Amino acid sequence: MRRRKATLGPQRPADTPTAPGGGWRRRLLRAGLWSVAASTVLAVLGWLSISLVPLPPALFEPPPAPLQLQDAGGQPLRQLRDGEGFVAHQITLAEVPQHLIDATVAAEDKRFWSHPGVDWRATIRAAFGYVRHGRVVSGASTITQQLLKLADYQPRTLPTKLVEAARALKLERVWSKERILAAYLNRIDYGNFNRGCAAAAAFYFDKPLSALSLAEAALLAGLPQAPSRLNPHTNLDGARERQHYVLERMLAGGWITRAEYEQALREPIRLAAAFRDFRAPHFVDFLMEREQQFPTLPDHGSARTTLDLEVQTAAERSLRHHLGLLRDRHVHEGAVVVLDNATGGVLAMVGSPDYFEPGAGQVNGAWAPRSAGSTLKPFTYLLACEHGASPATVVADVPSVFPTATGVFAPVNYDRQFHGPVRLRFALANSLNVAAVRVLASLGGPAILRDRLQACGLTTLTQPADFYGLGLTIGNSEVRLLELVNAYAVLARLGLHRPWCLTTNAPPTPPERRFPADAAWLIADVLDDDGARQTAFGLGSPLRMAFPVACKTGTSSDFRDNWAIGYTPEFTVGVWVGNFDGSPMQDVSGISGAGPVLHEVFAWLHERRGTTWFARPETVVEGRVNPVTGRLLTDRTGDSAAVPDSSSPPLLAPVREVFLADSPPLLETAEDFDARGRVRLEPEYADWLASPQNSLGDRAVSDSGPTTIQITWPVAGAVLFLDPDLPDEGNRLHLQARAAGGVEWRCSTLKIDDDASGQWAELSPGRHQLEVLAPATGQRITTWIEVHRL
């Protein structure tokens, strides 16, 4: 029989039930343990799964970087916005002052340095606030979470917030706090299209980050909460209120002392003007338009252009000043281009006097096609010198007609006067139309001029040569100021062409020869001759400078455009003045409109940059010539009776002239004079010698005139056009005929006027018969013309 083990105290019978509640507690404890274990496992699995959460690829790419355009010396012209419309400057955290770092953390995420990417305390607080108030009353996004939103913005839903939290936890594992904060400060929007704290400091305070005060740093740190609403330029009070909040949080968090806090509150906020670098606007716009067709610039960083900001500023100032003096003569617009001849780089481009003027301010007058006026004449004379002519060569400035495919062409000079036999020097210096047309005709017509101008870079000459005709030399085509200045730079390089350029990063294009150097030197010598142009411009014109400059002006019909172009070996400067709407100015020519601007810009260049002049080529020589015949005088002929003595009028006195050694003027001989020592001229001068415009008097002689009437102009069947672009539509026709004893013109349908220069018909549309009477012989002949309006 088994004995039972003794026990201490009373014993519960084996079949006594468990005490009430004991089993429930054990089950609850067991369930709790299982819950903790499951939660721990889930937490561990969740924590481990964070490493599998992908981060947005954009986070690892730098934000779109803008491009800063600079002048040739590194001065900023314009900060171009990035692909999202922002201006930004990328910085490292070491470049950010500590008080801006502290202000940013205090304003946006005070536990940034301690949380793992998500601020759970702030998250729980925000959740309870939302449940209690039914709306968001406090934010919980950390700087890490905000950075992720900046890199990959998604609609704000609960799932995206959960993904964002997971990403924040993941990012804090792979990036340091410093790297996260630096990326945030480079990407956050501070308003007014400023991305990043460096761009914001420059825009709002015109300072680098290192120069920011505590008060300024606190103001910047407060802006990202609501950049538009807190814009200090439009809501300074709101921005200051936010600044005070940031300072209070910095004080409460121990980032600043009470003294620093109070000093920052007292510091006045001095905002910079709401302005970005926006210099040389037409130049930058033009560069960016060209960039779309011919990319040369980097995508970001900085790029230096050819522009010289000091030259640009001087040109802008001069243009605005002189246009202001011409306002009462209906002159409103103008443009200036300055070119560096050595490189072809554009040093200045002023497209209008005021870029921000409504309507026309942003039109770029440097690129707008305009009527060329007389600016193309030097190229005609250069072609003549290339073919053996020289400044001593004489051309007949007399009434002339030229047949064309549509009728006849009868050019007249600007002042409607004729000067008889003139040297090319005089003709070019005084911008005579008739002489220029005759020279081009002697070269075979307009094709040679058009082709050479195209080779010099004028892209507006797109029509066949016959479309322009001989009028090409006197400006019946359109040109662009920039291209015209570059064509003149060919003359400045003594015949070498180099394309114009806007940036310094492209390799230089080797120059190509377009004209002989010695012939180009002859043209420069003429265009610098103040004495030669005094007949048309006087001795005190704006083209007269204290140093050598080759100058040419031009004026289009009805004073719609005027030009002034000048060059030295270093620089070529061009000025256009007019109105963008094409309306005529009130008697403003190239000498009075564009000329003063050219003078002032070149005076500045000479003083600040320095200018020189061309050395005479060895192939250019000098000799004395007869100014009427252009013939070269020898020692023998210089002392002969054929040459006027020292008492002769200056017009007939021998002059010194330059020419190419291999193509000198013909030698003067006795056959050039009659028995009385008068210069013998060709028959084409007879009418001019008989007219009141004869400046030679009895020093020259031609045929005594035909025994029968000879009509020079208009020829029978001539078709004439009234041009609305010419003064009075160009309705005065110079009537030209010769006969012994003179002639008289009559017409029953047109009014005939007499003046010192001869007889003129006032044209009107229709078919008209004209009669010529020789009173000395009683002879009469007729001719007829047709007149149409263009």
Side-chain angles (χ1 to χ4, degrees), residues 341 375 378-379 382 456 485-497 515 517 519-521 523-524 527 550 567-568 572 614:
N341 294 333
T375 58
F379 299 92
L382 178 50
C456 290
V485 170
N486 197 52
Y488 268 78
V490 176
L491 308 184
R493 300 186 196 100
L494 298 183
L496 291 176
H497 172 262
F515 299 98
W521 185 92
I523 298 302
L527 295 179
Y567 61 90
T568 65
T572 301
F614 306 96

mmCIF file of all heavy atoms in Angstrom, residues 341 375 378-379 382 456 485-497 515 517 519-521 523-524 527 550 567-568 572 614:
data_model
loop_
_atom_site.group_PDB
_atom_site.id
_atom_site.type_symbol
_atom_site.label_atom_id
_atom_site.label_comp_id
_atom_site.label_asym_id
_atom_site.label_seq_id
_atom_site.Cartn_x
_atom_site.Cartn_y
_atom_site.Cartn_z
ATOM 1 N N ASN A 341 37.131 93.746 -84.869
ATOM 2 C CA ASN A 341 37.585 93.314 -86.195
ATOM 3 C C ASN A 341 38.509 92.112 -86.143
ATOM 4 O O ASN A 341 38.529 91.299 -87.075
ATOM 5 C CB ASN A 341 38.297 94.472 -86.905
ATOM 6 C CG ASN A 341 37.353 95.612 -87.223
ATOM 7 O OD1 ASN A 341 36.154 95.410 -87.382
ATOM 8 N ND2 ASN A 341 37.892 96.819 -87.294
ATOM 9 N N THR A 375 24.794 103.154 -98.159
ATOM 10 C CA THR A 375 25.846 102.441 -97.438
ATOM 11 C C THR A 375 26.598 101.427 -98.277
ATOM 12 O O THR A 375 27.672 100.965 -97.875
ATOM 13 C CB THR A 375 25.244 101.723 -96.206
ATOM 14 O OG1 THR A 375 24.210 100.822 -96.645
ATOM 15 C CG2 THR A 375 24.651 102.722 -95.228
ATOM 16 N N PRO A 378 30.577 102.234 -101.052
ATOM 17 C CA PRO A 378 32.020 101.928 -100.967
ATOM 18 C C PRO A 378 32.404 100.617 -101.626
ATOM 19 O O PRO A 378 33.511 100.495 -102.164
ATOM 20 C CB PRO A 378 32.280 101.897 -99.454
ATOM 21 C CG PRO A 378 31.240 102.790 -98.875
ATOM 22 C CD PRO A 378 30.025 102.567 -99.724
ATOM 23 N N PHE A 379 31.514 99.648 -101.623
ATOM 24 C CA PHE A 379 31.832 98.358 -102.230
ATOM 25 C C PHE A 379 31.865 98.460 -103.755
ATOM 26 O O PHE A 379 32.639 97.772 -104.410
ATOM 27 C CB PHE A 379 30.821 97.311 -101.765
ATOM 28 C CG PHE A 379 30.825 97.106 -100.275
ATOM 29 C CD1 PHE A 379 29.977 97.832 -99.455
ATOM 30 C CD2 PHE A 379 31.708 96.214 -99.697
ATOM 31 C CE1 PHE A 379 29.991 97.658 -98.083
ATOM 32 C CE2 PHE A 379 31.736 96.034 -98.320
ATOM 33 C CZ PHE A 379 30.875 96.767 -97.512
ATOM 34 N N LEU A 382 35.180 100.061 -104.440
ATOM 35 C CA LEU A 382 36.246 99.104 -104.181
ATOM 36 C C LEU A 382 36.387 98.132 -105.348
ATOM 37 O O LEU A 382 37.503 97.794 -105.770
ATOM 38 C CB LEU A 382 35.962 98.351 -102.877
ATOM 39 C CG LEU A 382 36.956 97.260 -102.474
ATOM 40 C CD1 LEU A 382 38.392 97.751 -102.520
ATOM 41 C CD2 LEU A 382 36.604 96.721 -101.092
ATOM 42 N N CYS A 456 30.331 88.841 -98.626
ATOM 43 C CA CYS A 456 30.671 89.571 -97.400
ATOM 44 C C CYS A 456 29.642 89.342 -96.300
ATOM 45 O O CYS A 456 29.740 89.961 -95.230
ATOM 46 C CB CYS A 456 30.810 91.060 -97.694
ATOM 47 S SG CYS A 456 32.264 91.484 -98.677
ATOM 48 N N VAL A 485 27.478 95.921 -90.775
ATOM 49 C CA VAL A 485 28.681 96.237 -90.004
ATOM 50 C C VAL A 485 29.760 95.184 -90.266
ATOM 51 O O VAL A 485 30.943 95.509 -90.420
ATOM 52 C CB VAL A 485 28.347 96.323 -88.500
ATOM 53 C CG1 VAL A 485 29.613 96.397 -87.658
ATOM 54 C CG2 VAL A 485 27.463 97.528 -88.224
ATOM 55 N N ASN A 486 29.366 93.926 -90.344
ATOM 56 C CA ASN A 486 30.361 92.886 -90.611
ATOM 57 C C ASN A 486 30.922 92.990 -92.026
ATOM 58 O O ASN A 486 32.089 92.657 -92.268
ATOM 59 C CB ASN A 486 29.748 91.504 -90.388
ATOM 60 C CG ASN A 486 30.798 90.429 -90.240
ATOM 61 O OD1 ASN A 486 31.712 90.555 -89.435
ATOM 62 N ND2 ASN A 486 30.691 89.372 -91.024
ATOM 63 N N ALA A 487 30.100 93.448 -92.971
ATOM 64 C CA ALA A 487 30.618 93.668 -94.327
ATOM 65 C C ALA A 487 31.636 94.806 -94.333
ATOM 66 O O ALA A 487 32.679 94.729 -95.010
ATOM 67 C CB ALA A 487 29.464 93.981 -95.283
ATOM 68 N N TYR A 488 31.357 95.865 -93.565
ATOM 69 C CA TYR A 488 32.338 96.954 -93.441
ATOM 70 C C TYR A 488 33.597 96.483 -92.719
ATOM 71 O O TYR A 488 34.693 97.015 -92.961
ATOM 72 C CB TYR A 488 31.721 98.140 -92.713
ATOM 73 C CG TYR A 488 31.085 99.154 -93.643
ATOM 74 C CD1 TYR A 488 29.836 98.927 -94.203
ATOM 75 C CD2 TYR A 488 31.738 100.335 -93.967
ATOM 76 C CE1 TYR A 488 29.246 99.841 -95.053
ATOM 77 C CE2 TYR A 488 31.153 101.267 -94.820
ATOM 78 C CZ TYR A 488 29.911 101.016 -95.365
ATOM 79 O OH TYR A 488 29.345 101.931 -96.225
ATOM 80 N N ALA A 489 33.444 95.496 -91.820
ATOM 81 C CA ALA A 489 34.629 94.946 -91.164
ATOM 82 C C ALA A 489 35.559 94.278 -92.169
ATOM 83 O O ALA A 489 36.766 94.180 -91.940
ATOM 84 C CB ALA A 489 34.213 93.956 -90.081
ATOM 85 N N VAL A 490 35.006 93.811 -93.298
ATOM 86 C CA VAL A 490 35.848 93.295 -94.382
ATOM 87 C C VAL A 490 36.759 94.413 -94.894
ATOM 88 O O VAL A 490 37.942 94.192 -95.160
ATOM 89 C CB VAL A 490 34.985 92.720 -95.519
ATOM 90 C CG1 VAL A 490 35.855 92.285 -96.692
ATOM 91 C CG2 VAL A 490 34.145 91.552 -95.021
ATOM 92 N N LEU A 491 36.198 95.611 -95.034
ATOM 93 C CA LEU A 491 37.021 96.747 -95.444
ATOM 94 C C LEU A 491 38.058 97.064 -94.373
ATOM 95 O O LEU A 491 39.202 97.399 -94.680
ATOM 96 C CB LEU A 491 36.133 97.969 -95.689
ATOM 97 C CG LEU A 491 34.936 97.796 -96.629
ATOM 98 C CD1 LEU A 491 34.231 99.120 -96.848
ATOM 99 C CD2 LEU A 491 35.368 97.189 -97.953
ATOM 100 N N ALA A 492 37.642 96.960 -93.093
ATOM 101 C CA ALA A 492 38.561 97.267 -91.997
ATOM 102 C C ALA A 492 39.703 96.260 -91.912
ATOM 103 O O ALA A 492 40.795 96.595 -91.446
ATOM 104 C CB ALA A 492 37.795 97.303 -90.678
ATOM 105 N N ARG A 493 39.445 95.042 -92.341
ATOM 106 C CA ARG A 493 40.512 94.029 -92.369
ATOM 107 C C ARG A 493 41.251 94.055 -93.697
ATOM 108 O O ARG A 493 41.973 93.105 -94.025
ATOM 109 C CB ARG A 493 39.925 92.631 -92.134
ATOM 110 C CG ARG A 493 39.207 92.462 -90.795
ATOM 111 C CD ARG A 493 38.795 91.011 -90.581
ATOM 112 N NE ARG A 493 37.791 90.900 -89.525
ATOM 113 C CZ ARG A 493 36.489 90.777 -89.713
ATOM 114 N NH1 ARG A 493 36.009 90.715 -90.959
ATOM 115 N NH2 ARG A 493 35.657 90.717 -88.708
ATOM 116 N N LEU A 494 41.039 95.088 -94.465
ATOM 117 C CA LEU A 494 41.670 95.253 -95.772
ATOM 118 C C LEU A 494 41.388 94.054 -96.670
ATOM 119 O O LEU A 494 42.284 93.468 -97.270
ATOM 120 C CB LEU A 494 43.178 95.486 -95.628
ATOM 121 C CG LEU A 494 43.573 96.760 -94.861
ATOM 122 C CD1 LEU A 494 45.086 96.919 -94.835
ATOM 123 C CD2 LEU A 494 42.911 98.005 -95.468
ATOM 124 N N GLY A 495 40.105 93.707 -96.741
ATOM 125 C CA GLY A 495 39.662 92.711 -97.702
ATOM 126 C C GLY A 495 39.395 91.331 -97.161
ATOM 127 O O GLY A 495 38.943 90.461 -97.903
ATOM 128 N N LEU A 496 39.655 91.094 -95.882
ATOM 129 C CA LEU A 496 39.457 89.765 -95.303
ATOM 130 C C LEU A 496 38.088 89.662 -94.639
ATOM 131 O O LEU A 496 37.705 90.531 -93.853
ATOM 132 C CB LEU A 496 40.549 89.459 -94.267
ATOM 133 C CG LEU A 496 41.959 89.250 -94.816
ATOM 134 C CD1 LEU A 496 42.940 89.053 -93.677
ATOM 135 C CD2 LEU A 496 41.997 88.055 -95.761
ATOM 136 N N HIS A 497 37.373 88.590 -94.951
ATOM 137 C CA HIS A 497 36.061 88.361 -94.349
ATOM 138 C C HIS A 497 36.170 87.334 -93.241
ATOM 139 O O HIS A 497 36.836 86.306 -93.372
ATOM 140 C CB HIS A 497 35.071 87.845 -95.394
ATOM 141 C CG HIS A 497 33.760 87.414 -94.821
ATOM 142 N ND1 HIS A 497 33.453 86.099 -94.544
ATOM 143 C CD2 HIS A 497 32.672 88.138 -94.439
ATOM 144 C CE1 HIS A 497 32.240 86.020 -94.038
ATOM 145 N NE2 HIS A 497 31.746 87.237 -93.962
ATOM 146 N N PHE A 515 38.632 90.995 -101.084
ATOM 147 C CA PHE A 515 39.129 92.099 -101.909
ATOM 148 C C PHE A 515 40.640 92.192 -101.728
ATOM 149 O O PHE A 515 41.182 91.795 -100.686
ATOM 150 C CB PHE A 515 38.508 93.432 -101.480
ATOM 151 C CG PHE A 515 37.012 93.497 -101.593
ATOM 152 C CD1 PHE A 515 36.213 93.287 -100.484
ATOM 153 C CD2 PHE A 515 36.394 93.770 -102.814
ATOM 154 C CE1 PHE A 515 34.838 93.346 -100.568
ATOM 155 C CE2 PHE A 515 35.021 93.836 -102.912
ATOM 156 C CZ PHE A 515 34.239 93.619 -101.787
ATOM 157 N N ALA A 517 44.052 93.777 -100.620
ATOM 158 C CA ALA A 517 44.320 94.637 -99.470
ATOM 159 C C ALA A 517 44.613 96.069 -99.888
ATOM 160 O O ALA A 517 44.148 97.028 -99.251
ATOM 161 C CB ALA A 517 45.483 94.067 -98.658
ATOM 162 N N ALA A 519 43.653 97.730 -102.593
ATOM 163 C CA ALA A 519 42.451 98.412 -103.063
ATOM 164 C C ALA A 519 41.561 98.800 -101.892
ATOM 165 O O ALA A 519 40.966 99.887 -101.869
ATOM 166 C CB ALA A 519 41.688 97.514 -104.039
ATOM 167 N N ALA A 520 41.476 97.917 -100.874
ATOM 168 C CA ALA A 520 40.683 98.239 -99.692
ATOM 169 C C ALA A 520 41.290 99.412 -98.930
ATOM 170 O O ALA A 520 40.567 100.229 -98.355
ATOM 171 C CB ALA A 520 40.573 97.015 -98.786
ATOM 172 N N TRP A 521 42.621 99.512 -98.937
ATOM 173 C CA TRP A 521 43.262 100.639 -98.275
ATOM 174 C C TRP A 521 42.882 101.952 -98.955
ATOM 175 O O TRP A 521 42.669 102.966 -98.279
ATOM 176 C CB TRP A 521 44.779 100.464 -98.294
ATOM 177 C CG TRP A 521 45.493 101.544 -97.528
ATOM 178 C CD1 TRP A 521 45.864 101.514 -96.218
ATOM 179 C CD2 TRP A 521 45.896 102.828 -98.032
ATOM 180 N NE1 TRP A 521 46.470 102.696 -95.867
ATOM 181 C CE2 TRP A 521 46.500 103.524 -96.961
ATOM 182 C CE3 TRP A 521 45.802 103.454 -99.266
ATOM 183 C CZ2 TRP A 521 47.013 104.811 -97.091
ATOM 184 C CZ3 TRP A 521 46.305 104.747 -99.413
ATOM 185 C CH2 TRP A 521 46.908 105.413 -98.342
ATOM 186 N N ILE A 523 40.059 102.721 -100.315
ATOM 187 C CA ILE A 523 38.717 103.103 -99.893
ATOM 188 C C ILE A 523 38.751 103.670 -98.475
ATOM 189 O O ILE A 523 38.084 104.666 -98.173
ATOM 190 C CB ILE A 523 37.767 101.899 -99.973
ATOM 191 C CG1 ILE A 523 37.658 101.421 -101.428
ATOM 192 C CG2 ILE A 523 36.390 102.253 -99.421
ATOM 193 C CD1 ILE A 523 37.170 102.471 -102.394
ATOM 194 N N ALA A 524 39.546 103.066 -97.594
ATOM 195 C CA ALA A 524 39.663 103.595 -96.234
ATOM 196 C C ALA A 524 40.232 105.000 -96.252
ATOM 197 O O ALA A 524 39.799 105.878 -95.491
ATOM 198 C CB ALA A 524 40.549 102.669 -95.393
ATOM 199 N N LEU A 527 37.389 107.369 -97.270
ATOM 200 C CA LEU A 527 36.339 107.525 -96.265
ATOM 201 C C LEU A 527 36.819 108.253 -95.021
ATOM 202 O O LEU A 527 36.003 108.680 -94.197
ATOM 203 C CB LEU A 527 35.773 106.160 -95.889
ATOM 204 C CG LEU A 527 35.036 105.417 -97.013
ATOM 205 C CD1 LEU A 527 34.545 104.050 -96.518
ATOM 206 C CD2 LEU A 527 33.861 106.241 -97.532
ATOM 207 N N ALA A 550 37.361 105.789 -90.848
ATOM 208 C CA ALA A 550 36.701 105.725 -92.149
ATOM 209 C C ALA A 550 35.189 105.721 -91.912
ATOM 210 O O ALA A 550 34.677 104.863 -91.198
ATOM 211 C CB ALA A 550 37.122 104.476 -92.906
ATOM 212 N N TYR A 567 34.893 102.715 -89.276
ATOM 213 C CA TYR A 567 35.819 101.655 -88.876
ATOM 214 C C TYR A 567 37.241 102.166 -88.761
ATOM 215 O O TYR A 567 37.640 103.159 -89.394
ATOM 216 C CB TYR A 567 35.765 100.467 -89.842
ATOM 217 C CG TYR A 567 36.146 100.747 -91.290
ATOM 218 C CD1 TYR A 567 37.466 100.631 -91.728
ATOM 219 C CD2 TYR A 567 35.183 101.092 -92.237
ATOM 220 C CE1 TYR A 567 37.816 100.855 -93.052
ATOM 221 C CE2 TYR A 567 35.510 101.319 -93.560
ATOM 222 C CZ TYR A 567 36.831 101.197 -93.969
ATOM 223 O OH TYR A 567 37.169 101.426 -95.292
ATOM 224 N N THR A 568 37.973 101.493 -87.889
ATOM 225 C CA THR A 568 39.421 101.620 -87.742
ATOM 226 C C THR A 568 39.972 100.197 -87.824
ATOM 227 O O THR A 568 39.205 99.242 -87.950
ATOM 228 C CB THR A 568 39.792 102.244 -86.389
ATOM 229 O OG1 THR A 568 39.386 101.347 -85.337
ATOM 230 C CG2 THR A 568 39.105 103.596 -86.198
ATOM 231 N N THR A 572 34.691 98.172 -85.831
ATOM 232 C CA THR A 572 33.718 98.659 -86.807
ATOM 233 C C THR A 572 32.433 98.943 -86.046
ATOM 234 O O THR A 572 31.961 98.113 -85.261
ATOM 235 C CB THR A 572 33.448 97.628 -87.911
ATOM 236 O OG1 THR A 572 34.688 97.321 -88.575
ATOM 237 C CG2 THR A 572 32.467 98.177 -88.936
ATOM 238 N N PHE A 614 45.652 102.522 -90.552
ATOM 239 C CA PHE A 614 46.276 101.546 -91.446
ATOM 240 C C PHE A 614 47.589 102.079 -92.009
ATOM 241 O O PHE A 614 47.678 103.229 -92.447
ATOM 242 C CB PHE A 614 45.331 101.247 -92.610
ATOM 243 C CG PHE A 614 43.957 100.806 -92.180
ATOM 244 C CD1 PHE A 614 42.908 101.711 -92.097
ATOM 245 C CD2 PHE A 614 43.710 99.489 -91.846
ATOM 246 C CE1 PHE A 614 41.644 101.320 -91.709
ATOM 247 C CE2 PHE A 614 42.448 99.073 -91.448
ATOM 248 C CZ PHE A 614 41.415 99.992 -91.372
#
